[in-house]
Amino acid sequence: MTAATSVRFAHRHLLGVEGLSPDEITLLLDLSESYIKQSRAADKKATLLRGRTIINLFFESSTRTRTSFELAGKRLGGDVINMSAEVSSVKKGETLIDTAMTLNAMHPDVLVVRHPDSGAVKLLSEKVNCAVINAGDGTHEHPTQALLDALAIRRRRGSLQGLTVAICGDIMHSRVARSNIHLLTAMGARVRVVAPPTLLPACIDRMGVEVFTDMRAGLRDCDIVMMLRLQTERMQGSFVPSIREYFRFYGLDYAKLEVAKPDALIMHPGPMNRGVEIDSEVADDIDRSLIREQVEMGVAVRMACLDILTRNLQSNEAAT
Ligand code: CP
Protein backbone atom coordinates (compact mmCIF):
# COMPACT_ATOMS: atom_id res chain seq x y z
CA MET A 1 0.00 0.00 0.00
CA THR A 2 1.40 3.45 -0.95
CA ALA A 3 1.39 6.46 1.41
CA ALA A 4 -1.48 7.87 -0.64
CA THR A 5 -3.70 4.85 -0.14
CA SER A 6 -3.14 4.71 3.64
CA VAL A 7 -5.63 7.61 4.02
CA ARG A 8 -9.21 6.40 3.96
CA PHE A 9 -11.64 8.03 1.55
CA ALA A 10 -14.81 7.69 3.56
CA HIS A 11 -17.35 8.60 0.91
CA ARG A 12 -19.57 6.39 -1.21
CA HIS A 13 -20.14 9.17 -3.76
CA LEU A 14 -18.24 12.23 -4.95
CA LEU A 15 -20.92 14.90 -4.96
CA GLY A 16 -18.82 17.94 -4.14
CA VAL A 17 -15.54 19.21 -2.75
CA GLU A 18 -17.37 20.65 0.26
CA GLY A 19 -16.97 18.07 2.98
CA LEU A 20 -13.70 16.59 1.68
CA SER A 21 -10.81 16.87 4.12
CA PRO A 22 -7.38 18.17 3.05
CA ASP A 23 -6.06 14.60 3.46
CA GLU A 24 -8.75 13.22 1.17
CA ILE A 25 -8.02 15.91 -1.44
CA THR A 26 -4.30 15.14 -1.19
CA LEU A 27 -5.04 11.42 -1.54
CA LEU A 28 -6.93 12.02 -4.79
CA LEU A 29 -4.22 14.34 -6.13
CA ASP A 30 -1.41 11.92 -5.23
CA LEU A 31 -3.26 9.03 -6.86
CA SER A 32 -3.86 11.16 -9.98
CA GLU A 33 -0.08 11.58 -10.36
CA SER A 34 0.32 7.87 -11.11
CA TYR A 35 -2.44 8.09 -13.70
CA ILE A 36 -0.67 10.94 -15.53
CA LYS A 37 2.19 8.49 -16.11
CA GLN A 38 -0.20 5.81 -17.33
CA SER A 39 -1.94 8.22 -19.71
CA ARG A 40 1.42 9.29 -21.18
CA ALA A 41 2.61 5.71 -21.75
CA ALA A 42 2.20 3.95 -25.12
CA ASP A 43 0.13 1.21 -23.45
CA LYS A 44 -2.55 3.12 -21.54
CA LYS A 45 -4.70 0.17 -20.62
CA ALA A 46 -4.98 -1.32 -17.12
CA THR A 47 -7.31 -3.95 -15.69
CA LEU A 48 -8.28 -2.34 -12.38
CA LEU A 49 -11.91 -1.82 -13.43
CA ARG A 50 -12.28 -5.05 -15.40
CA GLY A 51 -15.88 -6.22 -15.01
CA ARG A 52 -17.03 -2.80 -13.75
CA THR A 53 -19.67 -0.76 -15.59
CA ILE A 54 -19.60 3.03 -15.66
CA ILE A 55 -22.50 5.01 -17.09
CA ASN A 56 -21.97 8.65 -18.11
CA LEU A 57 -25.37 10.29 -17.86
CA PHE A 58 -25.28 13.83 -19.22
CA PHE A 59 -28.30 16.14 -19.14
CA GLU A 60 -26.14 19.05 -20.35
CA SER A 61 -23.58 19.32 -23.12
CA SER A 62 -19.92 18.64 -22.42
CA THR A 63 -16.68 18.06 -24.30
CA ARG A 64 -13.96 17.78 -21.65
CA THR A 65 -15.77 16.13 -18.72
CA ARG A 66 -17.68 13.50 -20.67
CA THR A 67 -14.75 12.52 -22.89
CA SER A 68 -12.28 12.37 -20.03
CA PHE A 69 -14.58 10.22 -17.87
CA GLU A 70 -14.98 7.89 -20.85
CA LEU A 71 -11.22 7.71 -21.39
CA ALA A 72 -10.62 7.31 -17.66
CA GLY A 73 -13.02 4.37 -17.40
CA LYS A 74 -11.62 2.69 -20.52
CA ARG A 75 -7.98 3.20 -19.54
CA LEU A 76 -8.75 1.42 -16.27
CA GLY A 77 -10.32 -1.47 -18.16
CA GLY A 78 -13.97 -0.76 -17.33
CA ASP A 79 -17.01 -0.91 -19.62
CA VAL A 80 -18.22 2.64 -20.26
CA ILE A 81 -21.64 3.58 -21.60
CA ASN A 82 -22.41 7.17 -22.63
CA MET A 83 -25.96 8.38 -22.32
CA SER A 84 -27.08 11.80 -23.39
CA ALA A 85 -30.48 13.05 -22.19
CA GLU A 86 -31.04 14.36 -25.74
CA VAL A 87 -31.33 10.83 -27.12
CA SER A 88 -32.81 9.12 -24.06
CA SER A 89 -36.37 8.55 -22.84
CA VAL A 90 -36.04 11.81 -20.87
CA LYS A 91 -37.15 13.35 -24.18
CA LYS A 92 -40.37 11.31 -23.87
CA GLY A 93 -41.07 12.70 -20.41
CA GLU A 94 -39.26 10.21 -18.15
CA THR A 95 -38.21 11.88 -14.89
CA LEU A 96 -34.69 12.08 -13.50
CA ILE A 97 -35.56 9.62 -10.73
CA ASP A 98 -37.21 7.11 -13.08
CA THR A 99 -34.21 7.36 -15.37
CA ALA A 100 -31.89 6.72 -12.43
CA MET A 101 -33.96 3.76 -11.18
CA THR A 102 -34.01 2.29 -14.70
CA LEU A 103 -30.23 2.51 -15.03
CA ASN A 104 -29.80 1.22 -11.47
CA ALA A 105 -31.71 -1.94 -12.41
CA MET A 106 -28.90 -2.71 -14.90
CA HIS A 107 -26.35 -2.90 -12.04
CA PRO A 108 -23.85 -0.21 -12.99
CA ASP A 109 -20.96 0.31 -10.56
CA VAL A 110 -20.55 4.05 -11.12
CA LEU A 111 -22.92 6.69 -12.48
CA VAL A 112 -21.28 9.93 -13.64
CA VAL A 113 -23.98 12.58 -13.83
CA ARG A 114 -24.19 16.12 -15.16
CA HIS A 115 -27.46 18.01 -14.67
CA PRO A 116 -28.58 21.65 -15.06
CA ASP A 117 -30.26 21.72 -11.62
CA SER A 118 -28.26 22.25 -8.43
CA GLY A 119 -28.86 19.31 -6.10
CA ALA A 120 -30.15 16.95 -8.80
CA VAL A 121 -27.09 14.68 -8.62
CA LYS A 122 -27.40 14.31 -4.84
CA LEU A 123 -31.09 13.46 -5.19
CA LEU A 124 -30.25 10.81 -7.77
CA SER A 125 -27.49 9.37 -5.55
CA GLU A 126 -30.08 8.67 -2.87
CA LYS A 127 -32.04 6.40 -5.22
CA VAL A 128 -29.32 4.10 -6.55
CA ASN A 129 -27.05 1.36 -5.21
CA CYS A 130 -23.91 2.35 -7.10
CA ALA A 131 -21.36 5.13 -6.58
CA VAL A 132 -22.29 8.50 -8.08
CA ILE A 133 -19.89 11.19 -9.30
CA ASN A 134 -21.11 14.73 -9.80
CA ALA A 135 -19.92 15.91 -13.24
CA GLY A 136 -21.46 19.35 -12.62
CA ASP A 137 -24.88 20.21 -11.17
CA GLY A 138 -26.34 23.61 -11.99
CA THR A 139 -24.47 26.38 -10.21
CA HIS A 140 -23.61 24.13 -7.25
CA GLU A 141 -20.41 22.06 -7.70
CA HIS A 142 -18.08 20.50 -10.26
CA PRO A 143 -15.71 18.61 -7.96
CA THR A 144 -13.51 16.88 -10.54
CA GLN A 145 -12.85 20.24 -12.24
CA ALA A 146 -11.54 21.71 -8.97
CA LEU A 147 -9.41 18.60 -8.39
CA LEU A 148 -7.87 18.79 -11.85
CA ASP A 149 -7.25 22.52 -11.42
CA ALA A 150 -5.53 21.81 -8.09
CA LEU A 151 -3.40 19.08 -9.67
CA ALA A 152 -2.32 21.40 -12.49
CA ILE A 153 -1.37 24.15 -10.00
CA ARG A 154 0.40 21.76 -7.61
CA ARG A 155 2.54 20.33 -10.43
CA ARG A 156 3.75 23.82 -11.37
CA ARG A 157 4.02 25.39 -7.93
CA GLY A 158 4.70 22.37 -5.70
CA SER A 159 1.90 23.22 -3.25
CA LEU A 160 -1.36 25.13 -2.99
CA GLN A 161 -0.54 26.42 0.49
CA GLY A 162 0.04 30.19 0.60
CA LEU A 163 -0.78 30.89 -3.06
CA THR A 164 -3.07 33.77 -3.99
CA VAL A 165 -5.62 32.67 -6.58
CA ALA A 166 -7.92 35.16 -8.33
CA ILE A 167 -11.09 33.59 -9.77
CA CYS A 168 -12.50 36.08 -12.26
CA GLY A 169 -15.72 36.48 -14.21
CA ASP A 170 -19.17 34.97 -13.83
CA ILE A 171 -18.90 33.83 -10.22
CA MET A 172 -22.68 33.92 -9.77
CA HIS A 173 -23.42 31.06 -12.18
CA SER A 174 -20.20 29.09 -11.75
CA ARG A 175 -20.09 25.64 -10.13
CA VAL A 176 -16.38 25.64 -11.01
CA ALA A 177 -15.84 28.73 -8.85
CA ARG A 178 -17.69 27.18 -5.91
CA SER A 179 -15.79 23.89 -6.02
CA ASN A 180 -12.49 25.72 -6.43
CA ILE A 181 -13.23 28.01 -3.50
CA HIS A 182 -13.93 25.00 -1.25
CA LEU A 183 -10.81 23.18 -2.39
CA LEU A 184 -8.34 26.05 -2.45
CA THR A 185 -9.37 27.45 0.94
CA ALA A 186 -9.25 23.93 2.47
CA MET A 187 -5.70 23.55 1.12
CA GLY A 188 -4.47 26.87 2.52
CA ALA A 189 -4.60 29.12 -0.55
CA ARG A 190 -5.92 32.69 -0.41
CA VAL A 191 -8.84 33.07 -2.79
CA ARG A 192 -10.06 36.27 -4.39
CA VAL A 193 -13.16 36.54 -6.53
CA VAL A 194 -13.25 39.30 -9.13
CA ALA A 195 -16.45 40.20 -10.97
CA PRO A 196 -18.89 42.97 -11.74
CA PRO A 197 -21.38 43.37 -8.85
CA THR A 198 -24.13 41.83 -11.03
CA LEU A 199 -22.16 38.57 -11.30
CA LEU A 200 -21.34 38.16 -7.60
CA PRO A 201 -23.68 35.94 -5.57
CA ALA A 202 -25.07 37.35 -2.33
CA CYS A 203 -23.00 36.40 0.73
CA ILE A 204 -20.02 35.18 -1.34
CA ASP A 205 -17.74 36.70 1.32
CA ARG A 206 -19.03 34.03 3.74
CA MET A 207 -17.10 31.47 1.71
CA GLY A 208 -13.82 32.83 3.05
CA VAL A 209 -12.81 34.77 -0.06
CA GLU A 210 -11.81 38.39 -0.69
CA VAL A 211 -14.22 40.14 -3.05
CA PHE A 212 -13.14 42.59 -5.77
CA THR A 213 -15.14 44.42 -8.42
CA ASP A 214 -12.06 46.02 -9.98
CA MET A 215 -9.99 43.62 -12.08
CA ARG A 216 -6.61 45.30 -11.54
CA ALA A 217 -7.11 45.46 -7.77
CA GLY A 218 -8.14 41.78 -7.74
CA LEU A 219 -5.19 40.63 -9.84
CA ARG A 220 -2.52 42.58 -7.97
CA ASP A 221 0.34 40.27 -6.92
CA CYS A 222 -1.67 37.10 -7.41
CA ASP A 223 -0.01 33.76 -8.33
CA ILE A 224 -2.86 32.26 -10.35
CA VAL A 225 -5.51 33.91 -12.52
CA MET A 226 -8.47 31.62 -13.15
CA MET A 227 -10.86 32.97 -15.77
CA LEU A 228 -14.50 31.92 -16.11
CA ARG A 229 -16.91 31.95 -19.03
CA LEU A 230 -20.09 34.04 -18.98
CA GLN A 231 -22.69 31.28 -18.51
CA THR A 232 -25.39 32.85 -20.66
CA GLU A 233 -27.37 29.59 -20.67
CA ARG A 234 -28.04 30.08 -16.93
CA MET A 235 -28.92 33.79 -17.21
CA GLN A 236 -32.38 35.21 -17.49
CA GLY A 237 -31.89 38.66 -18.92
CA SER A 238 -28.64 40.52 -19.30
CA PHE A 239 -26.03 40.69 -16.53
CA VAL A 240 -23.52 42.83 -18.43
CA PRO A 241 -24.11 45.98 -20.53
CA SER A 242 -22.38 44.52 -23.62
CA ILE A 243 -19.67 41.99 -24.48
CA ARG A 244 -17.40 44.84 -25.56
CA GLU A 245 -17.78 46.60 -22.20
CA TYR A 246 -17.31 43.34 -20.37
CA PHE A 247 -14.05 42.55 -22.13
CA ARG A 248 -12.80 46.10 -21.57
CA PHE A 249 -13.27 45.90 -17.80
CA TYR A 250 -13.11 42.17 -17.00
CA GLY A 251 -11.49 40.41 -19.97
CA LEU A 252 -7.98 39.14 -19.24
CA ASP A 253 -5.36 40.74 -21.49
CA TYR A 254 -1.66 41.47 -21.00
CA ALA A 255 -2.38 45.01 -19.78
CA LYS A 256 -4.46 43.75 -16.84
CA LEU A 257 -2.14 40.79 -16.22
CA GLU A 258 0.77 43.19 -15.69
CA VAL A 259 -0.21 43.77 -12.05
CA ALA A 260 -0.16 40.04 -11.17
CA LYS A 261 3.13 38.36 -10.18
CA PRO A 262 5.51 38.27 -13.17
CA ASP A 263 5.24 34.46 -13.31
CA ALA A 264 1.48 34.28 -12.58
CA LEU A 265 -0.19 31.34 -14.31
CA ILE A 266 -3.39 31.58 -16.34
CA MET A 267 -6.17 29.02 -16.11
CA HIS A 268 -9.60 28.47 -17.65
CA PRO A 269 -11.86 25.42 -17.17
CA GLY A 270 -13.18 25.71 -20.74
CA PRO A 271 -15.05 26.10 -22.91
CA MET A 272 -13.41 29.49 -23.57
CA ASN A 273 -15.00 32.42 -25.29
CA ARG A 274 -12.01 34.20 -26.81
CA GLY A 275 -12.36 37.95 -26.86
CA VAL A 276 -15.11 37.83 -24.20
CA GLU A 277 -13.45 36.82 -20.90
CA ILE A 278 -9.95 36.19 -22.25
CA ASP A 279 -7.72 37.55 -24.98
CA SER A 280 -6.58 34.91 -27.48
CA GLU A 281 -2.87 35.71 -27.11
CA VAL A 282 -3.03 35.33 -23.32
CA ALA A 283 -4.96 32.06 -23.58
CA ASP A 284 -2.35 30.62 -25.96
CA ASP A 285 0.72 31.89 -24.08
CA ILE A 286 2.77 28.69 -23.82
CA ASP A 287 4.82 29.96 -20.88
CA ARG A 288 1.93 31.05 -18.71
CA SER A 289 -1.27 29.35 -19.79
CA LEU A 290 -2.15 26.06 -18.05
CA ILE A 291 -5.30 25.53 -20.09
CA ARG A 292 -4.13 22.48 -22.08
CA GLU A 293 -2.47 20.99 -19.01
CA GLN A 294 -5.80 21.31 -17.20
CA VAL A 295 -7.41 19.14 -19.86
CA GLU A 296 -4.68 16.50 -19.53
CA MET A 297 -5.02 16.49 -15.73
CA GLY A 298 -8.76 15.92 -16.17
CA VAL A 299 -8.26 12.35 -17.38
CA ALA A 300 -5.83 11.50 -14.55
CA VAL A 301 -8.08 12.98 -11.86
CA ARG A 302 -11.11 11.10 -13.18
CA MET A 303 -9.13 7.85 -13.22
CA ALA A 304 -8.23 8.48 -9.57
CA CYS A 305 -11.88 9.17 -8.65
CA LEU A 306 -13.10 6.00 -10.38
CA ASP A 307 -10.30 4.03 -8.68
CA ILE A 308 -11.10 5.32 -5.18
CA LEU A 309 -14.87 4.95 -5.42
CA THR A 310 -14.74 1.43 -6.86
CA ARG A 311 -12.20 0.48 -4.16
CA ASN A 312 -14.85 1.54 -1.64
CA LEU A 313 -17.47 -0.58 -3.48
CA GLN A 314 -15.09 -3.53 -3.22
CA SER A 315 -14.77 -3.15 0.56
CA ASN A 316 -18.56 -2.95 0.89
CA GLU A 317 -19.04 -6.01 -1.35
CA ALA A 318 -16.49 -7.94 0.72
CA ALA A 319 -18.31 -6.97 3.93
CA THR A 320 -21.72 -8.27 2.74
N1 CP B 1 -14.84 22.37 -17.89
C1 CP B 1 -15.88 21.64 -18.31
O1 CP B 1 -16.69 21.13 -17.53
O2 CP B 1 -15.96 21.49 -19.68
P1 CP B 1 -17.09 20.68 -20.44
O3 CP B 1 -18.38 21.44 -20.27
O4 CP B 1 -16.63 20.65 -21.88
O5 CP B 1 -17.19 19.32 -19.84
Side-chain angles (χ1 to χ4, degrees):
M1 192 178 269
T2 65
T5 54
S6 63
V7 174
R8 196 169 136 56
F9 189 81
H11 306 272
R12 183 169 155 218
H13 309 296
L14 178 62
L15 301 175
V17 173
E18 191 178 14
L20 295 186
S21 68
D23 277 351
E24 288 169 334
I25 292 167
T26 303
L27 166 70
L28 285 168
L29 299 183
D30 290 349
L31 192 54
S32 303
E33 288 285 350
S34 66
Y35 288 125
I36 298 170
K37 287 194 197 90
Q38 185 181 326
S39 288
R40 287 180 181 174
D43 181 1
K44 297 173 176 56
K45 198 88 170 170
T47 55
L48 188 80
L49 295 191
R50 191 163 60 195
R52 296 290 190 186
T53 305
I54 298 137
I55 302 182
N56 285 330
L57 176 57
F58 278 60
F59 292 85
E60 268 187 351
S61 53
S62 166
T63 297
R64 283 147 281 267
T65 313
R66 201 200 60 96
T67 311
S68 57
F69 266 115
E70 182 175 357
L71 280 174
K74 286 181 172 169
R75 284 182 185 170
L76 291 174
D79 295 316
V80 185
I81 311 292
N82 291 311
M83 261 198 63
S84 153
E86 279 302 300
V87 290
S88 73
S89 289
V90 169
K91 286 301 260 186
K92 299 176 197 163
E94 191 161 55
T95 64
L96 170 69
I97 298 304
D98 284 336
T99 304
M101 304 286 268
T102 301
L103 295 175
N104 190 51
M106 299 180 205
H107 301 292
D109 298 288
V110 184
L111 272 179
V112 178
V113 186
R114 171 170 287 191
H115 198 280
D117 297 335
S118 304
V121 182
K122 180 174 188 301
L123 181 69
L124 185 150
S125 74
E126 289 160 3
K127 309 286 176 192
V128 296
N129 303 320
C130 61
V132 175
I133 300 179
N134 181 2
D137 65 323
T139 62
H140 174 230
E141 280 233 35
H142 191 351
T144 55
Q145 178 69 46
L147 287 163
L148 74 87
D149 290 340
L151 185 62
I153 298 171
R154 200 180 73 162
R155 285 175 67 81
R156 286 292 191 103
R157 289 289 180 262
S159 165
L160 301 165
Q161 176 80 40
L163 295 178
T164 300
V165 181
I167 307 178
C168 313
D170 184 358
I171 308 293
M172 167 95 86
H173 301 101
S174 178
R175 54 199 179 203
V176 173
R178 250 167 280 273
S179 289
N180 263 300
I181 292 169
H182 287 307
L183 190 150
L184 291 165
T185 53
M187 299 304 282
R190 283 179 59 185
V191 181
R192 300 174 181 173
V193 294
V194 187
T198 50
L199 291 173
L200 284 168
C203 310
I204 183 73
D205 50 329
R206 289 197 202 152
M207 290 187 80
V209 298
E210 293 173 86
V211 182
F212 294 83
T213 53
D214 179 83
M215 188 81 168
R216 281 189 177 77
L219 296 192
R220 191 163 301 285
D221 298 325
C222 71
D223 298 280
I224 309 285
V225 184
M226 194 180 283
M227 298 307 299
L228 300 172
R229 178 176 68 88
L230 282 176
Q231 305 221 353
T232 48
E233 73 275 23
R234 299 190 207 289
M235 295 179 188
Q236 279 167 354
S238 183
F239 283 69
V240 296
S242 72
I243 295 303
R244 211 167 129 169
E245 281 284 282
Y246 183 75
F247 183 75
R248 182 162 162 235
F249 290 103
Y250 294 98
L252 185 67
D253 53 19
Y254 281 118
K256 295 188 193 81
L257 193 57
E258 221 168 49
V259 299
K261 285 198 177 146
D263 60 349
L265 297 169
I266 300 147
M267 302 180 75
H268 194 306
M272 264 189 290
N273 288 142
R274 292 168 184 265
V276 179
E277 73 274 6
I278 191 164
D279 176 66
S280 246
E281 254 190 281
V282 174
D284 297 333
D285 186 328
I286 52 165
D287 297 320
R288 303 183 70 176
S289 172
L290 283 188
I291 296 170
R292 285 191 199 158
E293 233 164 287
Q294 286 173 267
V295 176
E296 182 188 3
M297 296 308 121
V299 180
V301 156
R302 285 155 186 145
M303 289 169 87
C305 293
L306 290 173
D307 174 349
I308 281 286
L309 291 180
T310 50
R311 226 184 272 188
N312 282 354
L313 286 178
Q314 232 162 23
S315 342
N316 293 343
E317 284 157 1
T320 52

